[in-house]
Amino acid sequence: MARELPTTAEIVIVGGGVIGLGIAYHLAEAGCTDVVVLERHSLTSGTSWHAAGIVGPLRATYDLTLLSRYAAELFSDLESLTGQATGYKRTGGLWLAGRPERMVELERTRAMGDLADLHARIVTPDEVAERVPGMEVGDLAGAMWVDEDGQADATGVCMAYAAGARRAGVAIHEGVTATGVVVDDGRVVGIDVVPTAGGDPSTIGCRAMVNAAGVWSRRLGDPVGVALPVQGVQHMYVVTEGTDDLPEPFPIVRDLEHCYYLKSDASQLLVGGFEFDAKAWDPEGPDGDTPFLEMDEDWDQFGPVMEAAIRRYPTLGETGLRFFMNGPESFTHDTAQVIGEAPDLEGYFVATGFNSLGLTASAGVGKVMAEWLTTGVAPDQFGLDIARVDPLQAGRDHLRERLQEAVGEHFSMHWPFKQITAGRGLRHTPFHGRWTGAQYGATATWERPLWFGDPVEPDNVAPRWWPMAEAEVAAMVDGVALIELTPFAKFDVTGPDALALLQWLCVSDLDVPVGAATYTQMANDRGGIEADLTVVRRGPDEFRVTDGAPTRWRTGGRLRRMAHRLGQAHGWSVSVTDLTEDEAVLGVMGPRSAELLAAHADPGDLDAFGFGTSRTVAIDGVEATATRISYVGELGWELSIPGAGAARAFDALVAEGNGSGGPSFLGLYAMDACRHEKGYRHWGDDLGPLDTVLEAGLGFTIGWDVDFLGRDALAAQKEVGITHRLRQFAVDGAHPLVLHDEPVFCDGVVVGRTTSGARGFRTGRTLCLADVEVDADGEFEVLVAGVRHPLERLVRPPYDPTGSRMRPEGQT
């Protein structure tokens, strides 16, 4: 007999697939059992039922690997914990590489696996043939073996999750459709529901909901303004008849050059692919509400995948096919899942867009989402966070265009600094087209110059744009360079209680004179870094908050949410206005920057500017706000210019002739190199919500006399001391391409990992920031693409450690 729907619950989860059930299971494990799971048809009937069943813990980043690794740990025990068979077994896995460049990628991935306590190793083509007799290996450059790769029955895992959740008291209701989200005063207060087969509608009141509806998740996102970049795709695989003499266990095989995977189930083989030009599927179409949907066979689409698999493993061509699976799956614009709380709708959580990797993700995502829902603690997973998503990236036309390459990106070469090609041009700055010789990239939807010069082929050993970026830096050091900074996130925080709000959210004392610019961090209650900001006081009750481009929606959402919450609690009056697209920002940097601006600015008395101050100027009649600050370590200003006059101001500054007495141009890659030479941090790479201000080496920004969120936690940490810290290193005598997540050793023992790196063109050294144990003191090394390099730990930034370049003699 069906259980009656409750009228209230603490948390409502929409979606009875592996993700929704994984969250329900982990909520129950955390002691939160006032939970309702709604499934419009039967459990698993959306996409989970036809999952290929691969459990692969090793991913593209360290944080994502930690999240995925948990699946192998949990699945090995889930059957004994719940009494429900999951079919899990550890098979090991092969990642096949067809070219030397891929082997460099695999060496990096293997080292990152070591950091996450996985067991991966590089193997030869002959070793591949030994593990899978009959596999053609003559064209392989090598491969990687991962011990922890495995497989499970996705339906069995779902039922195990459900059994464990039900046993703890979670209510799971099938045949119930969630028709809408009830919102009051900026937060979720309920879910409207109706029996799928027909009946009376009702509402379940709740404090939070989780949209785990997969490819159908936009139905509950679009009406309440939550942008979800989820696109339905026809995802295909085939299963063969049984065949004798397969190795047992048969390893998971990923042929990275040909974008397919291979696994076995008993004596049967399964072949699936991640092809380019994947076929979109509309969940709002005529078969969109069909449970356990199987679409028509499509050999025109899948044929090339199967042919490549047969060439690699001829046994496939000698075995009959049992069935062709073509079912719906959800993919995202950047092939990363979407999890977390919507920036501007409190209590609206989402876990969707798993790009055919939901089974592996379900355990880790279930765990972190349960923690997030019960404690309010967000994981350090900005690459997955819904707050990374720009609404333009959720546009339906954009998503269909992104499908031209997004699905195939799973197995294609992950070149360092790789740029998307499909779905470009979402936003252009007022300066676009004026950057002569620019090679553009997409930065948080903005087209932005990466370097200036010729286009180059990708390289994962020594980027071929290095010489051009080096020339850009040299021109700036001797003269003046213009830098595209328009994508900065820009917010005006105004009102009688603007200072009170920012004093509570930021760690620095912001009660400074009008015109002062303060570098600071927004902290959480644990002292972790929620944002890395510049705050300019423009008036007694007016502040300009500037953040990086990728975190626009995250930081803006936090400002708006806290202004609303504290307004309700204390009667504060604060407005937060997003000016990101209203103003262009131009960096003017280098020893001749004052000279260039003085020739065009009114007033031109730039000596009156102290470092870290801001005031209004006019650039050939165009009003702008000039702030003397520098992310590159040179004398310079950032000019914020209303969009209508930005191009005119730009043209005035370059009127002397670019490259012949006028300013040069500096791209994003060169700017990143310069910030490394100064030891400057970048949120999302070097900083995150789990890194405290003290661990980040930014204690100098803390105003200990100010009562701010997280002050007590930082004071306590200062008292007992920190165990790890972000430090700067230089590679001795070599220029390896240091990216992130490379192991750092001290006296042969791993003591941390890099967070970012770059080649410093002014110092001639390759530099990196690394999170390492504070007690580590000895001979440091970094492992880059299989080669260890000596490291020198730097006490001071290697370029202009006293800051004299930014504060020339005679200036403050």
Side-chain angles (χ1 to χ4, degrees), residues 367-393:
K367 186 175 183 180
V368 300
M369 288 291 290
E371 293 171 353
W372 205 337
L373 284 156
T374 55
T375 69
V377 178
D380 197 358
Q381 293 281 359
F382 181 64
L384 308 180
D385 197 329
I386 185 176
R388 80 183 188 275
V389 177
D390 188 291
L392 293 186
Q393 293 169 322

Side-chain angles (χ1 to χ4, degrees), residues 227 389-396 398-399 425-427 445 553 581:
V389 177
D390 188 291
L392 293 186
Q393 293 169 322
R396 294 181 187 275
H398 174 71
L399 285 170
L426 288 178
R427 285 193 176 91
T445 73
W553 304 101
E581 294 172 60

Side-chain angles (χ1 to χ4, degrees), residues 20 117 129 170 248 295 381 414 512 519 528 649 680 708 743:
D117 294 325
V170 171
E248 180 55 42
M295 291 178 266
Q381 293 281 359
H414 296 96
V512 295
Y519 170 58
Y680 293 155
F708 59 84

Side-chain angles (χ1 to χ4, degrees), residues 588-768:
V588 184
M589 302 289 162
R592 288 189 52 232
S593 56
E595 175 187 335
L596 176 66
L597 288 175
H600 295 277
D602 180 24
D605 183 16
L606 298 177
D607 288 338
F609 268 92
F611 183 80
T613 61
S614 179
R615 64 173 173 166
T616 300
V617 299
I619 308 296
D620 278 22
V622 178
E623 186 174 286
T625 300
T627 303
R628 188 176 158 197
I629 195 169
S630 176
Y631 198 50
V632 295
E634 304 287 347
L635 173 67
W637 284 260
E638 294 176 3
L639 305 179
S640 294
I641 313 167
R648 177 181 166 187
F650 183 97
D651 290 344
L653 291 172
V654 301
E656 297 175 52
N658 180 39
S660 57
S664 60
F665 296 156
L666 190 93
L668 180 63
Y669 291 164
M671 185 173 72
D672 189 62
C674 290
R675 71 100 175 171
H676 271 90
E677 291 179 306
K678 293 294 292 180
Y680 293 155
R681 279 70 164 142
H682 183 262
W683 198 95
D685 294 322
D686 314 302
L687 310 174
L690 300 186
D691 305 303
T692 72
V693 180
L694 295 175
E695 291 164 348
L698 298 174
F700 65 89
T701 67
I702 298 175
W704 290 107
D705 294 333
V706 178
D707 183 20
F708 59 84
L709 181 65
R711 182 190 181 282
D712 291 346
L714 288 170
Q717 188 177 57
K718 183 180 180 183
E719 181 70 22
V720 301
I722 57 177
T723 59
H724 62 99
R725 183 182 172 179
L726 196 67
R727 295 192 182 277
Q728 188 175 31
F729 294 87
V731 180
D732 280 342
H735 291 295
L737 180 56
V738 181
L739 298 171
H740 58 81
D741 296 329
E742 291 98 354
V744 173
F745 300 82
C746 183
D747 294 335
V749 178
V750 174
V751 293
R753 62 187 176 92
T754 62
T755 57
S756 64
R759 184 169 178 177
F761 300 116
R762 293 172 297 192
T763 60
R765 308 196 74 181
T766 289
L767 305 163
C768 64

